[in-house]
Amino acid sequence: MQDNNQQKNKENRTLELLRQSEAMLEGHFLLSSGRHSDRYFQCARLLQYPDRAAEALAPVVAALKEEIAAGRLAIDLVVGPAIGGIIVAYELARQLGLPALFTERDDTGAMTLRRGFEIQQGQRILIAEDVVTTGKSSEESAAVLEQLGGQVVALACVVDRRAPDAQVRWPIFPACKVSVANWDAADCALCKQQIPYVKPGSRKFIT
Ligand SMILES: [Zn+2]
């Protein structure tokens, strides 16, 4: 119970930091998945403040260190899918004393590891994201990293806003969990009210 309360307080603090930074937007949004939603997270607005980034991710580091100390987890490096995962990976790696790399999309949209970054055979990798919605970009990065001989062991993020049925295949360490109303475009409650939508931070825009 004590642990649950502590976890809840930490999550509330992350939400508070997101609100303070205007990183949690409310309105009508077209997500990169094609679905519509009533909230959108622009974590870059939180991560622009290094002290807030450090504070928001501290509970994630604490949870990871607990698993590491218990012998249930080992991590050699942190990899964030660009752009959203770069600062998250860097800050987690800084607090964990590990290197941070990033994957990025090439001109065809395929996820790649470039810039001379290398993965050693068997290296245990923590994937770091700003927001996890479906886990798709983590999966795409994992495919690249595993092809290079790495082993993805866990996923960390600032906001876990997955639908209950969106599973990921690794243990997930979120700074906060938020449920967001979202709909198929054809079935969107906000479209039915003729509220225009905006398309923030989609993959096409983040290049
Ligand atoms: Zn809509």
Side-chain angles (χ1 to χ4, degrees):
M1 186 53 92
Q2 182 69 20
D3 280 359
N4 284 346
N5 284 339
Q6 276 179 4
Q7 184 62 23
K8 201 157 190 276
N9 287 338
K10 285 169 188 168
E11 286 186 359
N12 289 344
R13 180 61 185 146
T14 302
L15 280 175
E16 210 174 290
L17 289 165
L18 285 163
R19 283 205 187 89
Q20 261 176 31
S21 314
E22 295 178 49
M24 188 164 66
L25 311 179
E26 284 168 295
H28 182 192
F29 304 102
L30 169 60
L31 306 176
S32 58
S33 63
R35 292 175 71 83
H36 291 201
S37 91
D38 64 350
R39 270 191 205 174
Y40 183 76
F41 291 92
Q42 186 50 274
C43 279
R45 300 194 72 170
L46 165 67
L47 300 171
Q48 74 181 303
Y49 306 108
D51 55 340
R52 293 185 194 177
E55 188 179 353
L57 290 167
V60 175
V61 172
L64 289 166
K65 281 185 171 168
E66 208 176 296
E67 291 299 291
I68 292 165
R72 290 189 289 262
L73 184 68
I75 303 167
D76 299 310
L77 69 141
V78 188
V79 179
I83 289 175
I86 295 177
I87 295 174
V88 181
Y90 181 91
E91 180 56 28
L92 289 173
R94 191 185 66 81
Q95 294 189 33
L96 289 164
L98 296 171
L101 280 56
F102 58 88
T103 52
E104 60 196 297
R105 293 183 189 282
D106 68 12
D107 293 342
T108 69
M111 200 66 92
T112 57
L113 189 73
R114 298 160 99 173
R115 298 172 199 270
F117 288 147
E118 286 177 358
I119 303 292
Q120 309 299 325
Q121 194 67 33
Q123 271 189 321
R124 295 156 298 189
I125 299 166
L126 171 69
I127 292 189
E129 296 259 26
D130 52 355
V131 181
V132 173
T133 304
T134 60
K136 189 167 170 279
S137 65
S138 303
E139 280 291 352
E140 288 175 82
S141 289
V144 171
L145 299 166
E146 286 167 354
Q147 204 170 24
L148 294 168
Q151 184 196 348
V152 176
V153 293
L155 174 60
C157 60
V158 180
V159 179
D160 177 3
R161 50 140 298 180
R162 286 173 303 153
D165 60 343
Q167 302 291 326
V168 292
R169 63 185 164 107
W170 312 281
I172 182 164
F173 296 84
C176 66
K177 269 181 86 104
V178 182
S179 69
V180 177
N182 71 101
W183 307 271
D184 274 334
D187 194 32
C188 173
L190 300 171
C191 281
K192 282 174 188 159
Q193 297 169 50
Q194 310 211 319
I195 298 168
Y197 62 76
V198 292
K199 188 183 180 181
S202 71
R203 287 206 184 94
K204 285 218 163 112
F205 288 6
I206 299 176
T207 54

